[in-house]
Amino acid sequence: MLQRPALSIRGVTKRFGDFVAVNDLSLDVLPGTCLGLLGPNGAGKTTLMRMITGQTRAASGDISVLEHDVASDTRAARRVLGVCPQQDNMDDQQTARENLALWAALCRVPRAQRRDAVDAALQTAQLTDRANERVTNLSGGMRRRLLLGRAFVNSPKVVLLDEPTVGLDPQVRSDLWMIIDRMRRSGVTIVMSTHYIEEAERLADDIAIMNHGRVIARGTPSELRRLHAGSEAVEYVGTATTLDEIAEKATAVGLRTRRAGLSISVLGVESTPAATLDSWGRHSRRATNLEDVFVLLTGESLDA
């Protein structure tokens, strides 16, 4: 029996004047999976998120969350959604508990269940001991944890995470990954936009790469690497002239390259004779990664 998608997007387009932010995009996300959305700035990721929540209306197409049509049944769709926005929009002068209680009320969590819902969200955010602290006194990492906890206060079946760890140091980011992974493993469907390759590879079951408002590639991280970059790469360092020459030689034998500053990576070399690669100069060998795929498909680096 086929599984019905938790999130279904069909032929969605959104324009801002002459600019097409999302262009005839279709996407399904199965229940209990985490979809990672990758794309350069301006690819349409945040606009897509806003259309899923009903904050922005699509010019055409249909979006449904657990079979609730976002355009015609917005309230029902929002009741099963949780959202962690990119921008911190909490009330600084309220406590962590007060912020969560307000959000629970806005999400129509029954009054009798709100205290338990807030307590569970504080536990998720690992902020039980700071529940009565004003948000203005919390560190950046604590605030992001609180935003994540708030996204789960209404026990949603589908959660949208828009750049959930942007701008955080590696340790705080790792702490948030554990929270997100715990939610993913509990069966919640997650759609997460991110600029961090390791975040996508660690948390996402499936990756959709967006550019110019469209999904240009879709698959698991390993599938995308295999299809677009192969399994192995070699990296050369040298002058611009030397790297140009290596790029020409690689192209001549049907290999793709990725340039970064004073280095060039030749991708998909697992079947290329070592003698050929050695003849182009000293190099180091490495496994390909999702960033190789991203750069090949979009022409841009995946920097936050």
Side-chain angles (χ1 to χ4, degrees):
M1 185 176 178
L2 291 176
Q3 245 185 335
R4 293 185 176 180
L7 172 65
S8 180
I9 300 168
R10 290 282 178 271
V12 167
T13 296
K14 176 64 181 178
R15 298 181 179 85
F16 296 98
D18 294 332
F19 176 68
V20 182
V22 176
N23 189 359
D24 192 26
L25 186 146
S26 295
L27 197 64
D28 282 343
V29 185
L30 292 178
T33 62
C34 177
L35 174 70
L37 280 180
L38 301 180
N41 291 328
K45 303 186 302 298
T46 296
T47 299
L48 179 62
M49 294 280 201
R50 291 178 61 83
M51 287 192 291
I52 295 170
T53 60
Q55 293 173 277
T56 297
R57 189 172 290 273
S60 60
D62 300 296
I63 301 174
S64 62
V65 182
L66 295 175
E67 300 186 40
H68 300 294
D69 184 84
V70 170
S72 63
D73 200 3
T74 307
R75 286 187 178 180
R78 285 181 175 173
R79 277 198 295 270
V80 296
L81 269 176
V83 181
C84 179
Q86 186 179 145
Q87 299 298 324
D88 183 337
N89 58 0
M90 291 179 295
D91 186 333
D92 277 356
Q93 298 309 308
Q94 287 191 325
T95 66
R97 180 179 292 280
E98 288 167 343
N99 267 276
L100 292 173
L102 175 60
W103 195 255
L106 291 173
C107 291
R108 299 179 182 273
V109 175
R111 186 182 296 274
Q113 299 173 18
R114 285 179 198 165
R115 184 173 185 85
D116 287 343
V118 168
D119 287 343
L122 286 166
Q123 187 173 8
T124 294
Q126 300 170 5
L127 288 172
T128 300
D129 60 337
R130 307 297 291 270
N132 298 316
E133 189 84 38
R134 283 189 179 185
V135 169
T136 191
N137 296 327
L138 299 180
S139 68
M142 290 178 181
R143 293 174 71 111
R144 293 305 295 180
R145 295 209 309 267
L146 185 60
L147 277 175
L148 266 182
R150 192 183 73 175
F152 294 100
V153 76
N154 58 325
S155 301
K157 303 296 184 185
V158 180
V159 173
L160 307 181
L161 307 178
D162 192 5
E163 304 286 355
T165 65
V166 67
L168 300 178
D169 66 61
Q171 181 56 55
V172 175
R173 192 179 305 143
S174 180
D175 292 342
L176 290 178
W177 286 351
M178 287 192 290
I179 296 173
I180 296 168
D181 186 56
R182 194 158 54 242
M183 295 300 103
R184 179 179 67 87
R185 288 186 283 107
S186 74
V188 174
T189 304
I190 296 175
V191 179
M192 175 184 68
S193 69
T194 181
H195 276 95
Y196 298 113
I197 277 293
E198 188 181 357
E199 186 162 271
E201 291 190 315
R202 177 175 296 193
L203 299 175
D205 303 294
D206 197 9
I207 301 287
I209 298 178
M210 289 185 65
N211 203 19
H212 302 299
R214 291 179 177 271
V215 172
I216 60 173
R218 177 87 185 266
T220 66
S222 59
E223 287 171 345
L224 291 173
R225 289 195 302 269
R226 187 184 73 250
L227 288 172
H228 300 284
S231 61
E232 294 184 17
V234 291
E235 187 170 337
Y236 299 87
V237 176
T239 64
T241 300
T242 298
L243 300 187
D244 287 342
E245 291 172 353
I246 293 172
E248 289 177 8
K249 292 173 181 176
T251 300
V253 296
L255 296 174
R256 305 183 76 176
T257 61
R258 172 191 165 192
R259 194 82 164 256
L262 296 178
S263 71
I264 189 169
S265 292
V266 182
L267 308 173
V269 300
E270 52 272 12
S271 299
T272 304
T276 299
L277 301 174
D278 292 343
S279 70
W280 298 349
R282 295 181 60 183
H283 59 268
S284 57
R285 189 175 288 262
R286 64 172 175 83
T288 57
N289 56 48
L290 199 54
E291 189 163 5
D292 293 324
V293 176
F294 185 89
V295 173
L296 285 176
L297 294 179
T298 69
E300 300 192 39
S301 63
L302 198 57
D303 297 323

